[in-house]
Amino acid sequence: AQKVTQAQTEISVVEKEDVTLDCVYETRDTTYYLFWYKQPPSGELVFLIRRNSFDEQNEISGRYSWNFQKSTSSFNFTITASQVVDSAVYFCALSEMRRGQFYFGTGTSLTVIP
Amino acid sequence: EAGVAQSPRYKIIEKRQSVAFWCNPISGHATLYWYQQILGQGPKLLIQFQNNGVVDDSQLPKDRFSAERLKGVDSTLKIQPAKLEDSAVYLCASSLGQTNSPLHFGNGTRLTVT
């Protein structure tokens, strides 16, 4: 079974639009961490944000914000006022305390059209 | 802080040949990972080291893949003999080792098997 599901394979938006990337996860652990990574065309995976399972407070950091809901096992990521440089593949990831493993979703390819 | 270093950046080999990849993690990072990323997919864990011990190699095709991390720092991943389906980007990542520690990735090695 897939631990992390990113149902959106490709998204295209026009520059300055807001875009939300969906992530649904599955775990039996009570302590876990969720991450979002960005993979630009250059290929390197870049860490963006992290959330622990005990903190459902949603936050905003610059143009990034995230919505963590344990009740629906979702960890969605929003980019406000998108820019061309945001074009990349975005991966959601889960780290479980019990097994100490990192699981990645299949990624969402975002294209921001100027 | 220097990032995760990987070499080579690209490699093209014929099937049945052997190939080796090298990774130098961020200084002080106890945990080192090798991931395989096939085009259009998310990273798939091959092997995880904690210092110089193997934590998880359940998805490593041991009949052809091997990895070592001597002295708990640098690591090498070897494929012998290579198959066409091994064509992928091989990513090395390191972390401090706690569940909440983000993974820091290198630029990866793009392997093409012809």
Side-chain angles (χ1 to χ4, degrees):
Chain A
Q2 189 74 14
K3 285 274 192 179
V4 179
T5 302
Q6 295 179 252
Q8 305 152 308
T9 53
E10 295 183 6
I11 299 177
S12 291
V13 297
V14 176
E15 197 171 22
K16 297 184 184 177
E17 287 184 346
D18 299 347
V19 58
T20 296
L21 309 180
D22 299 334
C23 174
V24 174
Y25 62 93
E26 177 186 333
T27 181
R28 293 182 179 180
D29 282 20
T30 54
T31 303
Y32 53 89
Y33 289 82
L34 296 161
F35 301 79
W36 276 97
Y37 280 82
K38 174 182 179 180
Q39 188 173 41
S42 60
E44 182 176 351
L45 277 152
V46 177
F47 163 65
L48 295 177
I49 58 173
R50 166 183 55 202
R51 208 60 175 154
N52 74 60
S53 52
F54 295 105
D55 186 358
E56 290 192 68
Q57 182 177 354
N58 297 313
E59 289 191 16
I60 297 173
S61 176
R63 294 187 300 110
Y64 296 159
S65 63
W66 47 97
N67 185 345
F68 175 35
Q69 293 192 346
K70 287 181 75 171
S71 60
T72 56
S73 296
S74 65
F75 185 50
N76 298 336
F77 175 61
T78 297
I79 303 174
T80 304
S82 60
Q83 301 175 2
V84 173
V85 294
D86 296 328
S87 295
V89 181
Y90 289 81
F91 290 96
C92 180
L94 164 71
S95 175
E96 293 180 320
M97 172 71 84
R98 183 167 51 94
R99 298 191 65 186
Q101 288 190 342
F102 232 85
Y103 302 94
F104 283 87
T106 51
T108 297
S109 177
L110 172 65
T111 301
V112 180
I113 304 166
Chain B
E1 174 183 80
V4 176
Q6 285 189 251
S7 67
R9 190 80 171 89
Y10 303 94
K11 191 72 178 179
I12 301 174
I13 61 172
E14 294 181 353
K15 60 183 179 183
R16 291 188 287 274
Q17 286 187 324
S18 61
V19 63
F21 312 127
W22 173 82
C23 173
N24 180 241
I26 292 173
S27 178
H29 279 194
T31 308
L32 186 147
Y33 308 77
W34 282 103
Y35 283 86
Q36 179 193 58
Q37 187 177 20
I38 293 173
L39 187 65
Q41 298 182 18
K44 169 190 159 187
L45 179 68
L46 292 175
I47 189 167
Q48 177 182 344
F49 292 95
Q50 180 75 15
N51 297 309
N52 60 348
V54 175
V55 174
D56 184 356
D57 63 356
S58 57
Q59 296 194 82
L60 187 74
K62 298 180 185 65
D63 58 333
R64 299 184 300 105
F65 285 64
S66 65
E68 59 182 11
R69 190 183 184 196
L70 300 176
K71 301 180 181 178
V73 181
D74 292 5
S75 177
T76 55
L77 176 69
K78 297 179 181 178
I79 307 175
Q80 181 180 11
K83 292 185 175 181
L84 295 177
E85 58 261 36
D86 298 332
S87 294
V89 175
Y90 290 84
L91 296 163
C92 180
S94 70
S95 80
L96 290 170
Q98 287 90 40
T99 306
N100 65 341
S101 302
L103 271 57
H104 297 269
F105 285 85
N107 286 322
T109 296
R110 183 176 297 276
L111 173 68
T112 302
V113 182
T114 62

